[in-house]
Each structure stands twice: as C-alpha cells, then as structure tokens.
C-alpha cells in the first residue's frame, strides 16, 4: 500500500465534512469501507473531532465504516451546545437520518455514552449494536458531581502545563501515566486541518447537561434487547465505575469489561485489548 492509499485509511488524514441536520451544520469525519453497518462515534465532554483516539478509530475502520461527529456547538459544528443529553440525542438521530443510514452500530464514550443511551430510548430501531464506555446511566451515582471532581484536576493540568486528561482519564500508577502520555501523543498526530477547540461557553453548557443527566430519573435499561458491550477502568473518578457495573446488570446479556489499574480512559490505556474486544463483539 502506498502512502496516499494509507492516508485514505487513517483518521490522522481524514478530511472534515459538514452536513445540515436539525437546523445545525454538523462537522464529521468518515473513513473505512463503504459497505456494511456503519459505526457512529459519540465522544466526551468538551471533545472535538481531534479527541477521538486515532488508534481505536483506525482499528475499527479497517473493517467498518466509521463516522465520528462533533456535537452541536462543539468544534466545527454550528449552534449552541445543548443543555441536555436529550437534545444531543435528538441531534444525533437527525444526523443519522440525514446521512441516509437505516441501521447503525453506536459507540459512545463518557458523555457520548449518555447520549447513546438516550438515542436508544427514542429510536432503538436504528441501532443494531451498542458500545458504552466510561459512562453511566441517568441518575447514576456521582454523575451530578462531575464538575466538582474535575475542576481541581483541570486546574492541576493548567498549573503543571499538562493536558487535564492526563489526570482525569488515568490513574497515578506508572503504567497508567505512561499510557496517558502515549494517548495524548496520539491525539497530536494530526498536524493539518485540525478541528476548532471547544469554547468555554460550550464546555460549561455540556457540563450542565451532564449534571442534569445525573439528576434525572433512571431510565428503564431493561428494555434494551440488542447486543451491548460495556467497558470502563476500575478507578473511574469522573463517572464512578460502579455505574458501569450497574448498567451491565440492568441490560440483559450485556458484555462487561473492567480494566485493572485504569481510570475514565480505560479504553485508551488498553486500546489494543479494547479494539480486539470491540471488533469481536461487532462481528458476532
């Protein structure tokens, strides 16, 4: 495979596209084979297109069509960031329809996993398989405290000149800190045509949406009957790991993976193991 062909199959070089849906000009990137059921990726609080782990995206895109999106008001998507997970789910459903997909696999990390759950409550007929990582259910313990837990570590990141994800997504062990540095380096691999960073206003509005999700009445996850893969680290500070275990208990037949000595970003620390598990899950 020559360099130009390789670039076409790498998230690092995937161009950003735009599509209008639900009154918003959404930014997204698409790669992988065009046939088969596509995977739609929904990312974390404050995340833009450049915050999707390129290792995971590229591994999935070898055999699946992958669509990564910016939520409303984030990155290169227009509008104001919604104040509720429900509005983000409505946007996601509208975007999927505008892209012309009748059936998708849905992969949500953190806030994206909350949105994915709400998509299931509103339009479950379009989802074939569901992957929920680093996330928790509506009303889950500690989710309404994400800001209180995160702000000190965000400030620590600023004071130590580190990306806050170094502290928020990983544990303080040597192995986890090494994985943090490797993950953050992967996020910088793309040099040209990078996405716009989140504005402080969008960042705060998304945080309000997460807090509202944490205060919301629990959803009936027992109505989910499609195959579900759930994963997290065993020391998630942002969305306590017990929420991950709780979701797996409430969704019949859900496959649960908990990574040892790993935090909120367990799937990034164990990116090789996770992608192998995710690909096997999607192939069943």
């Amino acid at each position: 495979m020559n360099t130009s062909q390789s670039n076409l199959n790498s998230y690092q070089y995937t161009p950003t596209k735009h599509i209008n849906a639900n009154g918003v000009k959404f930014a997204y990137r698409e790669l992988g084979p065009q046939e088969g059921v596509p995977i739609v990726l929904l990312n974390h609080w404050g995340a833009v297109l450049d915050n999707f782990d390129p290792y995971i995206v590229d591994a999935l895109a070898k055999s699946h069509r992958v669509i990564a999106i910016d939520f409303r008001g984030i990155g290169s998507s227009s509008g104001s960031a919604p104040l509720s997970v429900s509005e983000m789910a409505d946007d996601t459903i509208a975007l999927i329809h505008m892209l012309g997909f009748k059936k998708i696999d849905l992969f949500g990390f953190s806030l994206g996993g909350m949105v994915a759950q709400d998509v299931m409550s509103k339009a479950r007929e379009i989802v074939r398989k569901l992957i929920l990582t680093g996330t928790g259910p509506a009303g889950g313990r500690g989710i309404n405290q994400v800001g209180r837990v995160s702000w000190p570590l965000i400030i620590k990141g600023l004071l130590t000149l580190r990306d806050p994800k170094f502290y928020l997504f990983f544990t303080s062990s040597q192995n986890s800190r090494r994985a943090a540095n490797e993950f953050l380096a992967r996020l910088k691999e793309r040099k040209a045509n990078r996405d716009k960073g989140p504005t402080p206003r969008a960042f705060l509005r998304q945080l309000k949406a997460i807090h509202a999700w944490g205060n919301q009445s629990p959803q009936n996850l027992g109505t989910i009957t499609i195959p579900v893969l759930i994963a997290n680290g065993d020391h998630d500070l942002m969305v306590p790991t017990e929420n991950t275990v709780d979701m797996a208990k409430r969704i019949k037949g859900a496959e649960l993976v908990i990574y040892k000595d790993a935090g909120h970003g367990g799937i990034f620390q164990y990116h090789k193991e996770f992608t192998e598990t995710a690909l096997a899950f999607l192939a069943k």
Side-chain angles (χ1 to χ4, degrees):
M1 181 180 293
N2 62 40
T3 302
S4 61
Q5 288 175 317
S6 177
N7 289 355
L8 291 174
N9 296 312
S10 172
Y11 191 65
Q12 181 179 348
Y13 301 101
T14 301
T16 301
K17 302 178 181 180
H18 292 86
I19 190 170
N20 293 313
N22 221 18
V24 175
K25 184 179 181 181
F26 285 100
Y28 72 101
R29 292 180 188 155
E30 175 182 8
L31 69 164
Q34 294 297 294
E35 67 275 4
V37 177
I39 307 170
V40 175
L41 308 183
L42 307 178
N43 215 348
H44 63 81
W45 168 31
V48 300
L49 290 171
D50 295 325
N51 293 123
F52 287 97
D53 188 334
Y55 182 98
I56 292 176
V57 177
D58 287 353
L60 295 175
K62 287 180 181 178
S63 53
H64 297 268
R65 185 177 184 179
V66 177
I67 314 290
I69 73 170
D70 272 340
F71 289 123
R72 178 194 296 252
I74 286 287
S76 300
S77 289
S78 68
S80 295
L83 291 170
S84 72
V85 167
S86 178
E87 291 176 84
M88 295 183 209
D90 290 341
D91 283 344
T92 301
I93 294 165
L95 178 58
I96 290 166
H97 288 318
M98 285 303 297
L99 288 168
F101 301 142
K102 302 296 184 184
K103 189 75 73 172
I104 63 159
D105 293 327
L106 194 55
F107 175 0
F109 170 68
S110 194
L111 170 60
M114 300 169 194
V115 176
Q117 291 173 67
D118 213 52
V119 169
M120 283 298 301
S121 74
K122 296 179 175 186
R124 66 185 59 222
E125 70 281 355
I126 66 174
V127 184
R128 183 186 73 116
K129 292 189 176 183
L130 181 64
I131 301 176
L132 301 173
T133 62
T135 194
R141 190 189 76 79
I143 294 176
N144 61 359
Q145 299 296 315
V146 167
R148 183 184 62 80
V149 171
S150 300
W151 286 123
L153 296 177
I154 291 172
I155 293 170
K156 184 177 182 179
L158 294 173
L159 293 175
T160 59
L161 303 180
R162 289 186 183 275
D163 187 311
K165 289 188 284 293
F166 181 84
Y167 301 108
L168 289 168
F169 284 14
F170 299 85
T171 73
S172 59
S173 76
Q174 184 177 355
N175 285 338
S176 195
R177 289 285 167 85
R178 182 172 59 249
N181 286 324
E182 292 172 353
F183 167 66
L184 294 172
R186 292 197 298 274
L187 297 187
K188 295 178 181 177
E189 288 176 356
R190 185 184 182 99
K191 304 301 181 183
N193 302 311
R194 290 183 64 86
D195 203 1
K196 298 177 183 177
T199 65
R201 181 173 183 268
F203 194 73
L204 292 173
R205 286 175 69 88
Q206 283 198 339
L207 178 58
K208 289 182 178 179
I210 294 171
H211 283 180
W213 177 259
N215 289 324
Q216 187 176 312
S217 297
Q219 294 179 330
N220 183 6
L221 299 181
T223 62
I224 297 176
T225 57
I226 63 170
V228 180
L229 171 64
I230 299 174
N232 202 355
D234 62 354
H235 285 83
D236 189 341
L237 296 176
M238 299 184 72
V239 183
T241 306
E242 67 185 72
N243 290 295
T244 309
V245 177
D246 175 51
M247 285 193 305
K249 289 179 179 177
R250 291 164 57 189
I251 300 173
K252 185 177 180 180
E255 182 178 342
L256 175 64
V257 181
I258 301 294
Y259 296 107
K260 294 182 179 180
D261 182 30
H264 190 61
I267 65 169
F268 310 132
Q269 180 170 337
Y270 289 87
H271 54 277
K272 294 179 181 178
E273 293 86 347
F274 170 72
T275 51
E276 289 175 0
T277 298
L279 287 167
F281 168 75
L282 292 169
K284 292 177 182 176

